[in-house]
């Protein structure tokens, strides 16, 4: 028997092989083969959608909110009970350091079930008493119904976290799902199937089809006529393609897309906090978080010191074994993505950037020399129109630009097609409120970054998305309103 690890589809409560081929899952920290992944064809996607439809019409659809909530809390417990297995799988797929994955990815993967299970129980019903010309008037009340069978298309940067950020509220609201994880990170979505079975989630409620995007499982799922809605996180151009695919049959979409996030640092900021916070906001997860800062605007009196301290911190980044708690940065996700990011490193230099630190590939040594490592990089001196300042790079790099006036910083921060997130660093409350009001994004942090309360709305404006996830805002997409009017 072969001992090659295989990652399969999960359809109607069972692991399923086959499809239109297989592809290799590579460990980004070593560049070595990790597992063989089965690629779904249209037939398997049909089977997954049919299983989800049948579960929606079956036992799952008849469960009370209380019973569903209890089951989802059990799913969270099931993830936590297998915490180390999920952790190991996520690290093998992404190369991210254990400190990050054990504090963010896996705990949030579990919390995404409990938080929505609890929120749904407290979700109110709306009612209006209406006057009528004659008689006793009318009573209107609206109830929320599950949207139906949902296609869930996920990225690779926070695989379990971002997938459950959709599956948690979707199931809490009574929908059933077919998930298409990223081809780069297929494992934890497949593993979750076992947890669902262990805690008694009815077969067909949670399904996974493995594959790529175009002419593969992603496209087959999003254009499937029996899918009632599509929730997507990924690049803006992919979002455009999926919207076209979803247009057939008028299926609604929820879109969490790219960003080119700006940070604004005022001279009155607590500099220690601003430097440490910007270190995280720029370099966390090797720059592969949609919320990462890729542009920093720093008030002139502190500009030089800020650049020097940020560059020093970046230059001291520790690379190495992702399982070591000493390791601060993992690699990029793939060879192809590193080519893209290194392309921006070259382009920035050609456009006249001053490179304060980084700009290339570090020697990590040993087993890790074959991985997709990259140096954290700090630039100054570019024009606001240069590619490295305009386009989402999704790597550990930032351009720092000085400013003199608050309005100038706001104008530069807003000069982008994207509108996802910003961080403002100042000790002046008035300035913080003013700038927070003026920067056109969905998420603003003041004197912090990535401080998340899962009850709050999450998402971007402009090309960064459509709709909001998080808290009760997620229920807008995951339910359909039904108004009932009773003449009294
Ligand atoms: P991607 O768009 O390349 O891929 C995302 C998913 O879409 C993958 O599963 C892929 O297979 C699938 N896909 C690709 N083409 C498709 C098609 N035509 N039809 C259906 N599915 C298709 O994104 P990525 O590289 O995995 O992730 C990085 C991007 O995600 C960045 O742009 C980042 O900013 C964005 N992102 C946004 C958020 C957010 O909340 N706004 C969060 C994380 C990542």
């Amino acid at each position: 028997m072969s001992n090659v690890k295989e990652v399969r589809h999960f359809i109607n409560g069972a692991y399923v092989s086959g499809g239109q081929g297989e592809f290799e899952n590579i460990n980004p920290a070593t560049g070595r083969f990790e597992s063989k992944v089965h690629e779904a064809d249209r037939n398997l996607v049909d089977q997954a959608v049919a299983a989800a439809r049948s579960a929606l019409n079956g036992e799952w659809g008849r469960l009370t909110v209380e019973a569903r909530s209890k089951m989802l809390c059990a799913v969270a417990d099931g993830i936590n009970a297998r915490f180390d297995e999920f952790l190991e799988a996520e690290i093998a797929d992404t190369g991210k350091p254990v400190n990050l994955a054990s504090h963010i990815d896996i705990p949030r993967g579990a919390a995404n079930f409990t938080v929505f299970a609890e929120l749904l129980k407290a979700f109110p019903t709306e009612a209006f008493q209406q006057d009528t010309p004659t008689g006793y008037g009318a009573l209107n009340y609206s109830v929320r119904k599950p949207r139906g069978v949902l296609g869930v298309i996920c990225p690779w940067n926070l695989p379990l976290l971002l997938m459950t950020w959709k599956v948690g509220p979707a199931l809490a609201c009574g929908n059933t799902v077919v998930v298409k994880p990223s081809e780069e990170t297929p494992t934890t979505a497949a593993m979750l199937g076992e947890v669902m079975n262990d805690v008694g989630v009815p077969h067909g409620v949670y399904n996974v089809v493995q594959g790529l995007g175009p002419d593969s499982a992603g496209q087959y799922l999003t254009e499937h006529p029996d899918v009632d809605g599509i929730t997507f996180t990924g690049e803006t151009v992919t979002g455009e393609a999926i919207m076209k695919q979803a247009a057939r049959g008028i299926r609604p979409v929820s879109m969490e897309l790219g960003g080119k996030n700006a940070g604004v640092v005022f001279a009155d900021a607590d500099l220690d906090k601003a430097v440490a916070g910007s270190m995280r906001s720029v370099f966390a997860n090797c720059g592969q978080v949609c919320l990462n800062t890729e542009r920093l605007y720093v008030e002139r009196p502190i500009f030089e010191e800020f650049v020097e301290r940020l560059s020093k911190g970046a230059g001291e980044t520790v690379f190495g074994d992702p399982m070591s708690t000493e390791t601060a940065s993992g690699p990029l996700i793939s060879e192809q993505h590193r080519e893209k990011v290194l392309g921006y490193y070259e382009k920035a230099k050609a456009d006249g950037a001053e490179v304060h630190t980084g700009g290339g590939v570090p020697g990590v040594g040993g087993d890790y020399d074959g991985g997709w490592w990259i140096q954290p990089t700090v630039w100054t001196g570019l024009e606001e129109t240069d590619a490295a300042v305009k386009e989402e790079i999704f790597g550990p790099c930032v351009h720092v630009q000085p400013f003199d006036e608050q309005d100038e910083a706001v104008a530069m921060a807003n000069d982008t097609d994207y509108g996802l997130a910003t961080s403002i660093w100042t000790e002046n409350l008035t300035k913080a409120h003013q700038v927070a009001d003026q920067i056109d994004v969905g998420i603003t942090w003041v004197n912090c970054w990535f401080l998340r309360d899962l009850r709050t709305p999450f998402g971007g404006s402009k090309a960064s998305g459509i709709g909001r996830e998080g808290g009760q805002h997620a229920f807008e997409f995951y339910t359909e309103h039904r108004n009932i009017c009773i003449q009294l």
Side-chain angles (χ1 to χ4, degrees), residues 153-158 162 165 180-184 211-220 222 232-239 241-242 245 255-259 288-291 333 337 392 394 418 420 458-460 464-465 469:
I153 309 282
C154 306
W156 45 257
N157 59 332
L158 298 151
L162 287 174
W165 184 231
K180 208 296 281 173
S182 168
E183 52 275 33
E184 306 286 357
L212 294 85
D215 299 317
S216 185
Q219 182 175 342
Y220 307 151
T222 50
F232 169 70
T233 298
E235 282 192 52
T236 298
V237 287
T238 313
I242 289 178
Q245 287 151 206
M255 300 257 148
E256 295 294 346
L257 308 174
Q288 301 167 113
V289 182
C290 55
L291 307 163
I333 191 70
H337 188 49
E392 183 186 48
F394 222 53
Y418 295 106
L420 189 55
F458 179 93
S464 290
E469 299 185 318

Side-chain angles (χ1 to χ4, degrees), residues 273-297:
K273 266 201 234 159
V275 171
S278 300
M279 278 292 299
R280 286 183 60 236
S281 86
V282 174
F283 302 116
N285 207 33
C286 200
Q288 301 167 113
V289 182
C290 55
L291 307 163
N292 278 130
T293 303
E294 291 191 359
R295 300 178 291 145
L296 274 166
Y297 299 101

Side-chain angles (χ1 to χ4, degrees), residues 26-31 93-96 156 184 283-289 319 329-343 345 360-361 371-375 393-397:
I26 303 293
N27 183 325
T30 59
D93 276 7
T94 60
K96 64 177 71 190
W156 45 257
E184 306 286 357
F283 302 116
N285 207 33
C286 200
Q288 301 167 113
V289 182
F319 305 100
S329 174
L332 291 173
I333 191 70
S334 64
E335 185 170 21
Q336 191 193 11
H337 188 49
R338 186 168 70 168
E339 286 303 302
K340 177 186 152 184
V341 178
L342 286 174
Y345 283 17
V361 170
W372 321 126
W373 304 86
I374 193 158
Q375 289 175 328
I393 301 173
F394 222 53
C397 51

Side-chain angles (χ1 to χ4, degrees), residues 266 424 426 428-437 444 446-447:
F266 286 95
I424 302 162
T426 176
N428 180 322
L429 200 56
T430 305
K431 244 185 243 177
H433 280 296
Q434 287 172 349
V435 177
D437 187 56
T444 298
V446 177
N447 295 331

Side-chain angles (χ1 to χ4, degrees), residues 319-334:
F319 305 100
D321 180 359
M323 294 309 277
S324 161
T325 52
E326 301 293 308
T327 300
S329 174
L332 291 173
I333 191 70
S334 64

Side-chain angles (χ1 to χ4, degrees), residues 35-191:
S35 54
K36 182 170 93 176
V37 189
H38 294 254
E39 182 183 355
D41 57 9
R42 279 193 195 273
N43 178 38
L44 283 170
V45 173
D46 282 350
Q47 287 179 32
V49 172
R53 176 66 57 196
S54 148
L56 187 75
N57 294 334
E59 184 194 348
W60 181 249
R62 292 190 293 274
L63 281 184
T64 60
V65 169
E66 185 66 36
R68 226 164 45 219
S69 293
K70 224 167 147 183
M71 213 171 253
L72 295 184
C73 291
V75 173
D77 291 344
I79 294 174
N80 284 327
R82 295 176 59 182
F83 193 95
D84 289 348
E85 283 171 67
F86 274 98
L87 186 67
E88 214 174 284
E90 205 72 312
I91 290 173
D93 276 7
T94 60
K96 64 177 71 190
V98 65
N99 274 347
L100 188 69
S102 63
H103 286 106
I104 297 193
D105 294 73
I106 312 304
R108 264 289 303 279
N112 285 339
F113 285 99
T114 42
V115 76
F116 290 106
E118 292 303 325
L119 277 169
L120 193 78
K121 282 197 293 187
F123 199 57
T125 300
E126 196 177 68
F128 294 100
Q129 212 154 358
Q130 179 187 350
D131 290 334
T132 52
T134 54
Y136 293 94
L139 179 66
N140 285 272
Y141 65 94
S142 60
V143 290
R144 286 175 179 254
K145 295 286 177 189
R147 200 171 273 288
V149 173
L150 299 176
V152 180
I153 309 282
C154 306
W156 45 257
N157 59 332
L158 298 151
L160 182 72
L161 186 160
L162 287 174
M163 187 262 292
T164 53
W165 184 231
K166 296 174 182 303
V167 171
L171 298 194
C173 293
N175 300 284
T176 58
V177 296
V178 180
V179 173
K180 208 296 281 173
S182 168
E183 52 275 33
E184 306 286 357
T185 53
T187 313
T188 48
M191 286 170 64

